[in-house]
Amino acid sequence: MRVGVHINRFDHPGGGPALGAELAAAGAAAEAAGLSWLSVMDHYFQMEFNDRAEDPMLEAYTTLGFLAGHTSTVRLGALVTGVTYRHPGLLAKIATTLDVLSGGRATLGIGAAWYDREHAGLGVPFPPVAERFERLEETLRICLQMWDPETNGPFEGRHFRLAETLCVPAPVSAPHPEIMIGGGGEKKTLRLVARYGDACNLFTTSPDEVRHKLDVLRGHCDTEGRDYDEIRKTVVYSGEPAMTGDLDAFTRDIAGYAKLGIDTVILGPRTGEPAAFIENFAAPAVQRLAGLD
């Protein structure tokens, strides 16, 4: 089992002027630790359940571009981009740029969006949930069309219409940047994973719950004619052992997920100083989990 880190806070004690150096240090620590994944949130405002909407929040893809310049091996992505945040053609171009400049290390993490306050706050339309899922599927189709050099041409959907789907230069990743669809919704989200996703992302609610979600995903794969084993399975972990530094308790927590075929556990530290967290906890966790299967 591999280890990743999800940077979800930017409330460094030194404020905004300290964030560039902190993120550069986090990138260096991630490389030294052998992390397989480094992600940031894609939100306009900090999530209220993470503390306060007024807390610092950086724009995700600018931050990922910065991290790309300070790393060379770790995979980079947003966990996850709400489908409402950017027009799909622009999103495909942004993800392609990250992939090209990082040497093929970009993942397009995407979901249906949920945070209505930030949409209202910045005047971004926030359609009803059913429409957001329709837009999500069209966005996935647009990205795949833009990433296929043989299919430049119009796209006609219910919500999006593109006269051309030019994307030059093409992604470095073959056949395209990894698509990670976040969420465990059984009727829509996991069906989209089976149809379009290269990876899924779930929460570590319990091994039994995650097993159930993976069984649902397997059923959708059967319906879609998709090989379930082609899909990379990831989980986000933000339990207390990671916060207190209890590596033994963390390993016990994760062991049950490893048996389910989870490829990567992504740690969500509740700190504005991720470099120290990576050095002190994530690095030894990499070694500890390397033998789990």
Side-chain angles (χ1 to χ4, degrees), residues 118-162:
E118 64 185 357
H119 289 76
L122 297 190
V124 177
F126 187 67
V129 64
E131 181 178 329
R132 298 201 305 274
F133 273 99
E134 292 172 357
R135 289 172 176 266
L136 176 56
E137 182 155 17
E138 287 190 19
T139 295
L140 291 164
R141 290 171 54 203
I142 289 167
C143 287
L144 289 171
Q145 183 168 323
M146 288 186 66
W147 290 335
D148 184 346
E150 304 300 321
T151 58
N152 175 43
F155 177 91
E156 291 288 334
R158 180 176 179 181
H159 302 287
F160 302 111
R161 294 169 179 82
L162 286 69

Side-chain angles (χ1 to χ4, degrees), residues 11-13 17 124 142 162 169 208 213 227 254 266 273 289:
D11 52 345
H12 192 280
V124 177
I142 289 167
L162 286 69
D208 286 343
K213 298 293 185 183
D227 183 353
I254 292 302
I266 300 170
E273 299 177 276
L289 299 193

Side-chain angles (χ1 to χ4, degrees), residues 4 125 228 231:
Y228 169 84
I231 298 170

Side-chain angles (χ1 to χ4, degrees), residues 66-289:
F66 180 86
L67 288 170
H70 289 275
T71 57
S72 59
T73 60
V74 68
R75 178 161 289 277
L76 302 166
L79 196 65
V80 293
T81 288
V83 70
T84 51
Y85 295 165
R86 299 168 189 82
H87 188 281
L90 175 60
L91 178 62
K93 188 67 177 177
I94 291 169
T96 300
T97 300
L98 178 63
D99 194 64
V100 169
L101 297 183
S102 68
R105 294 185 285 128
T107 285
L108 173 63
I110 193 164
W114 58 270
Y115 195 1
D116 53 349
R117 175 176 174 175
E118 64 185 357
H119 289 76
L122 297 190
V124 177
F126 187 67
V129 64
E131 181 178 329
R132 298 201 305 274
F133 273 99
E134 292 172 357
R135 289 172 176 266
L136 176 56
E137 182 155 17
E138 287 190 19
T139 295
L140 291 164
R141 290 171 54 203
I142 289 167
C143 287
L144 289 171
Q145 183 168 323
M146 288 186 66
W147 290 335
D148 184 346
E150 304 300 321
T151 58
N152 175 43
F155 177 91
E156 291 288 334
R158 180 176 179 181
H159 302 287
F160 302 111
R161 294 169 179 82
L162 286 69
E164 298 182 82
T165 50
L166 277 173
C167 190
V168 182
V172 173
S173 297
H176 54 71
E178 179 183 61
I179 295 172
M180 174 186 284
I181 300 175
E186 297 179 13
K187 293 182 179 179
K188 295 182 178 181
T189 302
L190 294 178
R191 177 184 62 81
L192 292 175
V193 173
R195 184 171 293 177
Y196 300 104
D198 303 300
C200 66
N201 183 253
L202 303 169
F203 290 105
T204 52
T205 47
S206 72
D208 286 343
E209 176 66 13
V210 171
R211 179 184 293 107
H212 169 71
K213 298 293 185 183
L214 293 177
D215 286 342
V216 172
L217 175 59
R218 190 185 295 273
H220 285 306
C221 286
D222 291 342
T223 300
E224 296 289 336
R226 180 77 186 280
D227 183 353
Y228 169 84
D229 293 328
E230 288 181 352
I231 298 170
R232 189 166 70 92
K233 289 83 176 175
T234 72
V235 293
V236 174
Y237 180 90
S238 56
E240 284 302 317
M243 303 307 107
T244 61
D246 190 339
L247 193 59
D248 291 336
F250 166 72
T251 306
R252 289 193 298 271
D253 275 358
I254 292 302
Y257 298 98
K259 295 176 182 177
L260 301 177
I262 299 299
D263 172 88
T264 303
V265 56
I266 300 170
L267 302 173
R270 298 192 291 271
T271 175
E273 299 177 276
F277 173 84
I278 292 169
E279 293 169 355
N280 296 331
F281 187 82
V286 169
Q287 303 303 317
R288 183 69 67 92
L289 299 193

